[in-house]
Structure formats: C-alpha cells, structure tokens
Amino acid sequence: MRRLLLTVSIILALGFSASATQYGNAIMVKCPHCGNEKAVINLISGNTFGGLMWWDMCTNFPNNPEVCPVQKCPYCGKYFIYRTAEKREATNKSVGKGVTGDLTFAEARKAWEQLHDQIEQEDMNELALLCLHRYNDFQCEWPEGYKHKKKHPRTAEDHLFAKTIVDILIANYKVKTPLFYAEWLCNVGEFERAKEILDATPRPEQNPSGYDFARLYDILVESCQQKVGKVRLIY
C-alpha cells in the first residue's frame, strides 16, 4: 500500500539504505476508547530498495514499513491517533510481529468523521493527507509489471469529500513548494485553481540529482491542459 510521506527531508535522510529489514518485539498500543491492546510492528532496521514515491507526497517502501498514524481498534472498531496512544513493548513474541494498521479509503473517511474535530492540528493534518492518499490510490501511476491491488474509481460523494480535504490541507499543511498544492488540486479535478498557482509560481530550475520540481511543474501544466488528475511517480 502507498504510505504517508511526512516530509521530503525524511526520505532524503533515509537515502538508499542497504540494512536488512528487522523487527523487534511488537509494540502493544492501547485503544483509548475500550482499553484493549493491538500489536503493531516495531521496526529496528529497514531499507528503501524497491521503494516508490509519488508527487502527492505518498510513498511505498516494502522493506521499510511504517505504522499508520491513525489506527483502528479491532475490538471496538473506533479510531485513534497512534502518536498519542499509550504503548508498551510486548514481553514475548507470542503476539507475532504486529501490523502496520493501514486503513482503506472507506476507513480513513470514517476516521475523519470520528476524529477531525477532536485532535490536535498536527494530527488533523496527517489524517487529512492520509485521506487524500487513500482517495488517490485509484488514480496513481505504477511502474510497468509492479504488482499492486487495483482500486475502484471513486463515487461523486467521495470526490466531494476529497475536495474538502484538499481545501483543509491547503489552509493548514505547510509544504516546501506551492506546486504540491497544485498537485492536490489536480488530483480532485480543480484544474483552474491549480493553474492559478502555476501562473503565480516561476518554473523551478531542473535538479536531476534530487527532487526535480521543474518536472513536477511540467507535469502539472500538462495535467491542467488535459484535465487529468493522475498521480505521477517521482521514482
């Protein structure tokens, strides 16, 4: 599954590590609603080989899995923020290595409905971005031959929800370049608003050794012209 990219600097810091993927005893996270515990992964080391990154700030690193920032309790079915939940390390391996707790789009929507007006701004931003990424799963580019589960197109109601999420992100989520805002707007079909950002943003210089925002700029210009919201790969 595509995963949340918290900041560009995190991935730059990771580089292309050759460390083997190793897990410690699972982390037992306590549901703040019913008090039951859920086992999630405790990654000791990983690597970024075979990883993918998209311009909507989402990633897929099979050998460097991350715990989803929003968890669903398997007992009561309610959602909670992993960062602020009570945790402990399992004392034995009987619970297994644990799970990442990835959410589907439908689950992310339910988590938003339950949590968005009850959590801190930082967590609300991450939940909003998670919702957008899960919405985008049906329209993201994958390398030829890469095995992934195809997602069904979204409904008109889903589309309106995603537009609302993008408005919230633009108002609250700080990014390195406004081109990311234009990308998100294209993802939900707001091409005229995306074009306004492009018109107000000089085309960046090419940077083939890092994040080539000039390439993103050109992709967005093409997306606005063709009115296509497909999420393109960075690499």
Side-chain angles (χ1 to χ4, degrees):
M1 177 177 282
R2 299 190 325 136
R3 302 181 188 283
L4 180 67
L5 171 58
L6 297 179
T7 63
V8 169
S9 60
I10 290 177
I11 301 303
L12 290 176
L14 283 173
F16 288 93
S17 166
S19 301
T21 304
Q22 297 182 6
Y23 298 92
N25 287 353
I27 299 297
M28 305 302 297
V29 57
K30 184 177 181 180
C31 173
H33 305 290
C34 69
N36 284 301
E37 291 184 320
K38 174 182 180 178
V40 301
I41 62 168
N42 179 14
L43 188 68
I44 296 176
S45 66
N47 66 73
T48 55
F49 288 137
L52 301 173
M53 298 175 61
W54 289 264
W55 282 116
D56 65 347
M57 297 179 67
C58 202
T59 67
N60 183 343
F61 291 117
N63 298 319
N64 198 71
E66 297 179 50
V67 174
C68 185
V70 182
Q71 293 288 316
K72 179 180 181 180
C73 177
Y75 300 96
C76 69
K78 292 185 177 180
Y79 299 88
F80 59 92
I81 301 300
Y82 178 74
R83 181 181 69 85
T84 57
E86 185 179 335
K87 309 174 191 68
R88 67 178 179 86
E89 185 172 335
T91 55
N92 58 64
K93 298 183 182 297
S94 63
V95 295
K97 73 176 183 180
V99 298
T100 58
D102 293 323
L103 303 182
T104 64
F105 175 60
E107 289 172 333
R109 281 197 64 173
K110 289 179 181 178
W112 177 264
E113 292 167 2
Q114 178 195 317
L115 296 173
H116 77 276
D117 59 351
Q118 305 174 15
I119 53 180
E120 298 179 18
Q121 186 67 54
E122 172 189 353
D123 299 315
M124 189 187 79
N125 288 346
E126 301 308 332
L127 176 54
L129 193 54
L130 175 66
C131 288
L132 178 61
H133 289 165
R134 294 292 72 81
Y135 171 83
N136 277 343
D137 283 343
F138 86 99
Q139 62 180 356
C140 61
E141 177 184 25
W142 291 85
E144 186 175 352
Y146 199 100
K147 292 183 178 180
H148 67 282
K149 187 176 181 180
K150 292 185 178 180
K151 307 293 182 181
H152 294 295
R154 305 307 183 197
T155 66
E157 184 182 354
D158 293 338
H159 187 64
L160 289 175
F161 171 74
K163 282 187 175 183
T164 300
I165 289 295
V166 167
D167 287 339
I168 290 169
L169 285 168
I170 290 175
N172 297 287
Y173 199 101
K174 294 181 180 179
V175 293
K176 187 174 183 178
T177 168
L179 294 180
F180 284 121
Y181 294 150
E183 165 70 20
W184 296 339
L185 287 166
C186 284
N187 297 159
V188 295
E190 293 285 342
F191 300 109
E192 290 302 318
R193 290 174 63 192
K195 188 176 182 301
E196 290 175 5
I197 292 177
L198 293 175
D199 290 343
T201 306
R203 184 180 185 274
E205 295 184 4
Q206 287 186 313
N207 181 20
S209 62
Y211 287 86
D212 191 354
F213 290 116
R215 176 169 169 260
L216 174 59
Y217 187 95
D218 294 341
I219 288 172
L220 291 170
V221 168
E222 181 181 344
S223 294
C224 289
Q225 290 173 345
Q226 298 181 0
K227 297 190 180 334
V228 175
K230 188 172 184 177
V231 186
R232 305 291 183 178
L233 281 164
I234 300 176
Y235 59 75

